[in-house]
Structures are given as structure tokens and as C-alpha cells.
């Protein structure tokens, strides 16, 4: 995913992220497409409303989008780990979890 630093001119980068939401009650699906200019990553996630809950579409949108963003973040971290390994960098300590386990 990453090119060597010496081949890039100094610049500001712009990555384009498109988030698509589709609702088919009781399900909401989020699809994210991230275009880095060099690569395209895609992530999908769903949320399902309990049939006994009130229909509040914004909640389904937020849950599905949040889940898809988390999945995309994990994909980006895996891509970075692969790039680090590809350039022969030594293994680092594992990253700190995004949230603490419940006690």
C-alpha cells in the first residue's frame, strides 16, 4: 500500500471516503469506500433493529456506520503492518487496544 518515502514529493494528501447507507427495515447496511489514490479499501457492516423497539432510522445509521468505520480502521492497521513488514522493519510491541475489556 505504501511507496518508499524518497519517491514522493512533499505534498498534502487527500483520501476520499464515501459512506453509503441503505435501510431495509429492520436492517441498515453501511458500505464505506476509501480511495487513498494508491489503493481502494472497502468495508461493510450492518445493524438490525429489534422488532420490539421503536423505528428510529438515525440509530441504525449510526450503528452500521460506526461498525463499518471500525472494520475499515482495522483493515488500515493490517495494511500498515504488512507495509512495515515488507520494508523489513523490526517487529514492534503490539498496539494498545482501542478499548479496555469490561471488568
Amino acid at each position: 500500500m505504501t511507496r518508499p518515502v524518497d519517491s514522493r514529493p512533499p505534498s498534502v494528501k487527500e483520501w476520499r471516503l464515501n459512506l453509503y447507507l441503505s435501510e431495509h427495515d429492520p436492517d441498515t447496511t453501511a458500505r464505506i469506500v476509501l480511495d487513498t489514490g494508491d489503493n481502494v479499501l472497502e468495508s461493510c457492516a450492518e445493524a438490525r433493529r429489534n422488532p420490539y423497539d421503536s423505528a428510529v432510522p438515525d440509530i441504525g445509521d449510526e450503528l452500521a456506520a460506526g461498525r463499518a468505520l471500525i472494520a475499515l480502521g482495522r483493515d488500515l492497521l493490517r495494511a500498515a503492518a504488512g507495509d512495515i513488514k515488507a520494508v523489513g522493519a523490526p517487529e514492534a510491541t503490539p498496539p494498545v487496544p482501542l478499548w479496555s475489556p469490561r471488568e
Side-chain angles (χ1 to χ4, degrees):
M1 178 171 180
T2 305
R3 292 179 289 175
V5 174
D6 57 0
S7 70
R8 291 188 191 155
S11 65
V12 174
K13 292 184 180 186
E14 180 177 332
W15 288 6
R16 298 199 183 271
L17 185 138
N18 292 309
L19 172 62
Y20 305 95
L21 295 165
S22 64
E23 296 176 26
H24 303 285
D25 198 35
D27 298 330
T28 302
T29 302
R31 179 175 162 253
I32 295 177
V33 179
L34 175 65
D35 184 351
T36 69
D38 296 326
N39 292 294
V40 175
L41 295 174
E42 193 171 326
S43 176
C44 293
E46 293 183 347
R48 175 170 284 193
R49 181 179 56 84
N50 184 313
Y52 299 106
D53 290 343
S54 302
V56 183
D58 287 348
I59 294 172
D61 292 350
E62 292 164 350
L63 285 170
R67 290 171 180 165
L69 285 165
I70 289 169
L72 181 66
R74 289 183 181 137
D75 291 344
L76 281 169
L77 291 172
R78 276 193 288 276
D83 290 343
I84 290 168
K85 188 174 182 179
V87 297
E91 287 197 31
T93 57
V96 176
L98 294 175
W99 54 84
S100 301
R102 293 185 181 181
E103 297 183 27

